[in-house]
Structure formats: structure tokens, C-alpha cells
Amino acid sequence: MGATDSNAGDDFHFWWTAGRALELVSPGTELELVTVEGLAVVDDPDEQYETVDVAEYLGGRDVASADRIVLSQLKYSTRHAETAWTAARLCQKRVKKAEGKVDSERSVIADLATVYTRLRDDHGDQALGKARISLVSNCPGDPLLLQSVRAAAQWTAGQTAPTRKTLKDALPPDQAAVIGMLAEATTSRLKTAEFCRFLQLLDLSTTGTMDRTALARAVKSGASVLTPGHGLDSANRLFDLVRQQALPGSTRGGVTTQDVLATLGVADLLDLYPAPSRLEPLQNPLPTVGAEAIAAAVTANISRLTVAHGDAGVGKTTAMRQIGDHLPVGSQVVLFDCYGAGEYLSPGGNGIPPDGSSPRS
């Protein structure tokens, strides 16, 4: 691979990861940590996961505490972007030096299988139960390959003791041939039952993703929404945040929500998004007459603005939360909490910037 191709691959790697970093500040996200060039140092102290380009931790920041983990290998092609990932291409052997020795058994599928065995050996079966091993590439996945892996994963998930032979016998001939090729390429790394489970973890759905230019554009667009007027600068800083993680000497602590917020120049998620509603849940509320009356007024004056008012404590909020019960089927009710449980005037407490300027809405 030439320098130009290598640089393009690095760009793809970093822009893809910058996009995952933006997910860390997405409302309701479960993503807590994104690492580059291996797992988090607590899970990979000896840097043994060389084929994991990006690891995503959801629900926790290490393998033990996370609910799910996604371990991805990234492959980018500048010259053959339209060449599909077939079983033959996944299994194609290539010569690569490892620790001063020539390893001629390397292939993409073998590398992904190695991730499986290393995760199993280091962290046990429980880790496998929460893991996904993914191939991310701008090259598309061959439909037959995708169909075959998906069908094999579905069949093996319902079996107590699947084997390569019973799996191949259960599939149509064309799919069986694909799975047979993958099995042959990983036979030195996976026993028959492990190969069947490996297929359940294997995810090829992120093949055929955007090229590096489109990825960069998407990150810049996302950063522009979060930091109006500073989108390009924010995107470039996110790119550099990720790049720093891949440099020699990195602590490999990974990228967290706080890292992204600091990179974007904000202190809290409330500085990026509209303040959340602070309406308390209603526990078995009594029906209010006001809700029915308001709904009747709204339906009788579809094209006009309806204003409901009342003294403090009469139940205006409760009535508004019940009007959906009295509107025609298919109606949409959107509640906007402008009071914020009394925090609407607190600087920064409900989305109002400390300088007193208008909150984002």
C-alpha cells in the first residue's frame, strides 16, 4: 500500500471514529467509551488486540461492566471501492510480518476470528455474550456473503450443539459453500462449535458505508448542529482528538462524553440541547373536566389558536396532559415544559446560558 492509500485509510479510520465520538453526546445514548487501536487499557494492558481498530463500550467503560461491546476492524480502499467483500476476498491470505516473523496465514476473516478467541481467553464466555465483531468498510458486502452469514447465525442460535457439518447441511448449497469457505479459513483458530458461535457475533452490516469524504461531511454537519458557527472547527478538533488516541505514547484511556464536551468547548450536555422536560409522572390521575373541555374547543376550532387559562393550582398542567384522551384518533399532542419545575430562571439550570442569553429550543 502506498503512502497516499495509507493516508486515505487513516482519514477513513479517524473520521469514522469521530462520528462514533459524536454519538457519545447523543441524547439517550448508551455509548460510554470509544477506544482506538485496541481495547481500553484496563481490558488490553499488553496491546494484544492489534486487529481491533475501534472498540465501543455501551453501558459501561470496561468489558466487565458494559452491557454491549462492538469491536471493529476498518478496511478502506481508494482504488477498488466498488469491489465487494465476497467470501473469497475475506479468506484471501496475505503475507504480513508480526513480531519480526512472516505470518502467511493472515486474512481478514482469520483476523476477526482471532479477536473472538482473544476476547474469549481474556474475558470469558460472558464477554462473548455481549460482543459484536464488525467489519467496517467503504467496499460493499456481497449479497450472497451477507445472506449466508445471517442465515448461519440464525440457524446456529437455535441449536444446542451445532457443528460445521450440520450447519452446512441446514443451508442451501450456495450459502453452504460460502460458510464452508469461511470455516476452512478459520479452522486453525476456531473449533467447530466456536466457529458456529463466532458467526453469531460476526457483523458485516457496516460494509458499504460512506467513503472518507462523506464521513467527514457527516461529522462536520453533526458538529455544526451542536456548535452553530463553529462546526468546521469543532469537527477538526474531534478528528484530532481521535488521532491523538492512535499516536504512540497514548494512554489508551479512550474517548468519553466529557472528552467530547471539552473538545466542543461546552461544560454540559444541557449546553448542546434543549433542556429536558421536568414534568413529574402522573400516578393514577383522576380525570379532569378541563381536559375534555379544552379538547372540545380545539376540535371545534381546528384552524384557530385555542388558549386555556386558570388560577394557580387548579390543575392546568394535569388537564393538558390528559387532552389526548379526548382528541380524535391519530391526533398528536406535544407538551412543552416552559416552567422546568421552577428552574426556568436559573442560569444554566434549565438550558439558559450563564450570560443570560436566550436558551436553545
Side-chain angles (χ1 to χ4, degrees):
M1 178 184 292
T4 301
D5 291 336
S6 179
N7 290 338
D10 288 343
D11 268 5
F12 177 77
H13 186 164
F14 297 146
W15 282 120
W16 166 269
T17 312
R20 303 313 302 147
L22 272 180
E23 179 65 20
L24 286 163
V25 295
S26 178
T29 185
E30 296 180 38
L31 187 62
E32 293 197 15
L33 182 71
V34 176
T35 62
V36 180
E37 303 293 349
L39 277 61
V41 66
V42 66
D43 295 321
D44 181 21
D46 300 321
E47 301 185 45
Q48 294 298 305
Y49 292 79
E50 61 174 306
T51 58
V52 175
D53 294 317
V54 178
E56 301 169 55
Y57 293 76
L58 295 90
R61 295 189 181 182
D62 56 31
V63 169
S65 64
D67 297 323
R68 290 179 290 141
I69 51 176
V70 182
L71 309 179
S72 299
Q73 182 172 147
L74 276 61
K75 294 292 182 183
Y76 186 77
S77 176
T78 55
R79 303 179 185 181
H80 307 288
E82 302 302 320
T83 302
W85 285 103
T86 61
R89 188 180 180 192
L90 278 182
C91 299
Q92 184 177 6
K93 294 181 180 180
R94 64 192 189 281
V95 176
K96 186 172 183 179
K97 289 185 177 181
E99 298 180 357
K101 300 178 181 179
V102 175
D103 183 358
S104 60
E105 296 299 317
R106 296 287 294 271
S107 65
V108 173
I109 194 64
D111 284 348
L112 296 173
T114 298
V115 174
Y116 172 97
T117 58
R118 184 150 288 148
L119 186 66
R120 177 205 62 202
D121 293 344
D122 292 346
H123 301 285
D125 286 344
Q126 185 177 7
L128 294 177
K130 61 178 74 172
R132 194 172 84 219
I133 300 173
S134 176
L135 174 63
V136 179
S137 176
N138 64 316
C139 300
D142 175 65
L144 177 58
L145 172 66
L146 302 182
Q147 294 165 7
S148 301
V149 171
R150 187 163 50 246
Q154 291 173 348
W155 185 86
T156 55
Q159 306 300 311
T160 55
T163 66
R164 289 188 180 94
K165 183 179 185 309
T166 56
L167 169 58
K168 291 171 63 177
D169 290 344
L171 298 174
D174 56 347
Q175 294 182 0
V178 167
I179 297 303
M181 193 176 299
L182 300 183
E184 178 65 25
T186 58
T187 188
S188 64
R189 288 168 170 79
L190 300 174
K191 296 180 180 179
T192 181
E194 292 173 331
F195 172 73
C196 292
R197 190 172 186 188
F198 166 67
L199 291 176
Q200 296 175 36
L201 275 60
L202 182 60
D203 182 8
L204 303 178
S205 64
T206 43
T207 52
T209 191
M210 293 183 286
D211 64 23
R212 62 193 177 99
T213 302
L215 283 174
R217 189 182 304 118
V219 173
K220 292 171 185 176
S221 175
S224 294
V225 171
L226 296 178
T227 56
H230 304 282
L232 179 58
D233 181 54
S234 295
N236 288 336
R237 282 187 280 136
L238 280 172
F239 181 93
D240 190 60
L241 172 68
V242 169
R243 187 182 65 84
Q244 292 293 331
Q245 293 286 318
L247 293 177
S250 167
T251 61
R252 296 193 301 114
V255 178
T256 67
T257 299
Q258 291 305 315
D259 294 324
V260 176
L261 291 175
T263 299
L264 296 178
V266 297
D268 193 274
L269 284 174
L270 283 177
D271 297 324
L272 294 178
Y273 299 104
S277 171
R278 300 194 180 190
L279 297 174
E280 294 292 333
L282 294 177
Q283 302 294 335
N284 302 316
L286 296 174
T288 65
V289 176
E292 186 174 0
I294 296 170
V298 169
T299 53
N301 299 275
I302 296 295
S303 61
R304 303 180 66 183
L305 178 66
T306 301
V307 178
H309 61 92
D311 295 332
V314 300
K316 297 187 297 297
T317 301
T318 300
M320 293 304 297
R321 296 171 76 177
Q322 294 182 0
I323 64 171
D325 298 335
H326 306 285
L327 292 174
V329 175
S331 299
Q332 295 292 323
V333 178
V334 178
L335 289 175
F336 174 68
D337 179 13
C338 60
Y339 184 65
E343 291 293 318
Y344 70 108
L345 290 180
S346 300
N350 201 42
I352 298 178
D355 63 4
S357 57
S358 299
R360 299 182 61 181
S361 60

